[in-house]
Amino acid sequence: MSRFAFLPLSWRDLTDEELLSLAAGMDGLPAGDLLKPSHSRTGLQDSAGELPLLRQSRELSPGEESRLPFLEPGYLYEGNRQDRDPEEGPALFRLSPEEEKEFFAVLPAEDMSGDGLLRYLDAVYGNMPNSYWIPLEGELAYEELPGVLEEAADRFQLGAPPLPPYLALLVPMDGLTEEPRDPSRDYWMVTLLYPSGSQYAVSLRADTGELSAWVRWPQGFYMDGGASASPAASSGAARSEEELQASVAAYAAEVFPQSGGVLSIRGEDGEVPSPYFGPCRRFTLELEDGTSLLLTAAKQDGSLCAMTVLQTP
């Protein structure tokens, strides 16, 4: 018979009698062995500071991990919280009588369904104020993202139209605290799921909608939890330093046409390994108008893998 023992993890140690009682419930296991990983299920997830705390009985399975991001935006921004089976999902237990925000979640042994994962999101977000996740006044609303993303994808050459399915979460740059948020430091993290070609993780400033960074991944990376390595990672002659610099300079000139051109290019020390695109090189570019960029290019074909806007005029 399988059992869970709920221990006072956060406010006191077990007494000798409690340890012996626990050991007796675990087939007489010696007290010193109780906390060995092979015999214990401890908290696997939590939040810091004054925020709600959730510990859970097991890690999410790969299937649950891959499905959860597709449910999260609808849960947070579209009110997708109805018609759930109350028998699905985790059972919640309060960890401390003094701490109303701390819970332990016992997850079903089998993979959770869509309803179960929505109830799991209830456990994760249910005790957090909406202000942690909902855009503030003056910030880009979830409903405004399509138009902003279409413009950004076209300007920064992130894939052919139309705009693909995407996942979006508002992320406070200062983390989740009970201090008032600063809209100028929040950003939208958006994953563009192009059905063919590369996929992109895009960062947009929440107050202006300006793109501040993007990272490219192979097709299927976000949808199936992994992707095969690019052929460029293992075949073909590597591009020279001059060719790589020409590639990043041409991209910078195209996406910042009003900058006045590239003032300087500096290669960062060493290579950046990538399991998908092979060895990469990073370059810092200074543009005539004061814009500063960090661009990463694959050495095998010169294609761009990432961009970060370091400074704007």
Side-chain angles (χ1 to χ4, degrees):
M1 177 183 295
S2 297
R3 297 178 181 176
F4 276 103
F6 293 95
L7 311 182
L9 295 175
S10 59
W11 75 93
R12 68 172 178 83
D13 293 335
L14 291 176
T15 65
D16 291 345
E17 291 77 11
E18 288 169 333
L19 280 170
L20 290 173
S21 176
L22 183 61
M26 299 177 70
D27 298 325
L29 206 67
D33 289 344
L34 289 177
L35 296 182
K36 289 184 178 179
S38 58
H39 299 300
S40 66
R41 297 277 188 90
T42 58
L44 297 172
Q45 175 178 324
D46 64 6
S47 298
E50 299 300 320
L51 293 173
L53 230 162
L54 176 68
R55 296 186 174 98
Q56 59 196 60
S57 58
R58 65 168 174 83
E59 294 178 329
L60 296 181
S61 71
E64 291 168 329
E65 288 277 12
S66 65
R67 286 184 291 135
L68 195 64
F70 290 86
L71 296 171
E72 206 165 11
Y75 176 90
L76 291 172
Y77 309 116
E78 297 178 338
N80 185 15
R81 308 183 187 190
Q82 304 301 318
D83 301 325
R84 297 195 300 279
D85 184 346
E87 300 300 319
E88 292 277 356
L92 297 182
F93 297 86
R94 203 176 299 280
L95 284 174
S96 165
E98 290 83 16
E99 296 293 337
E100 294 185 358
K101 296 179 179 180
E102 296 188 4
F103 289 95
F104 189 95
V106 178
L107 276 56
E110 67 280 357
D111 275 13
M112 289 179 282
S113 67
D115 280 349
L117 288 172
L118 285 173
R119 285 179 59 81
Y120 178 79
L121 289 173
D122 279 340
V124 173
Y125 292 106
N127 288 288
M128 295 186 186
N130 287 342
S131 58
Y132 289 146
W133 305 103
I134 303 303
L136 302 173
E137 183 178 353
E139 290 187 327
L140 190 65
Y142 182 76
E143 296 77 15
E144 298 176 279
L145 286 176
V148 175
L149 288 170
E150 285 179 354
E151 181 179 342
D154 179 63
R155 174 184 173 185
F156 291 93
Q157 305 173 18
L158 302 183
L163 185 70
Y166 61 85
L167 310 175
L169 289 177
L170 182 65
V171 181
M173 180 66 77
D174 295 321
L176 299 178
T177 71
E178 294 191 345
E179 296 298 320
R181 279 172 34 206
D182 180 354
S184 68
R185 292 180 55 78
D186 296 348
Y187 63 95
W188 281 99
M189 179 57 69
V190 183
T191 305
L192 299 175
L193 301 172
Y194 287 97
S196 60
S198 298
Q199 299 176 343
Y200 295 84
V202 177
S203 176
L204 302 172
R205 282 189 52 168
D207 59 344
T208 65
E210 295 176 2
L211 185 147
S212 58
W214 61 259
V215 178
R216 178 167 68 100
W217 300 101
Q219 179 183 359
F221 182 85
Y222 285 97
M223 286 181 277
D224 60 20
S228 58
S230 165
S234 57
S235 63
R239 300 295 177 92
S240 67
E241 186 79 356
E242 291 75 17
E243 289 175 311
L244 294 176
Q245 289 193 15
S247 177
V248 298
Y251 177 80
E254 289 181 30
V255 300
F256 290 94
Q258 308 303 320
S259 67
V262 178
L263 184 63
S264 66
I265 301 177
R266 183 181 73 254
E268 303 295 319
D269 293 339
E271 295 180 348
V272 180
S274 166
Y276 305 112
F277 304 116
C280 299
R281 287 278 287 143
R282 283 181 179 156
F283 297 91
T284 299
L285 286 74
E286 304 292 341
L287 308 187
E288 294 280 357
D289 68 349
T291 300
S292 178
L293 307 173
L294 180 65
L295 288 168
T296 303
K299 292 187 68 174
Q300 293 299 124
D301 61 5
S303 63
L304 276 294
C305 301
M307 184 206 76
T308 301
V309 179
L310 301 177
Q311 180 177 309
T312 55

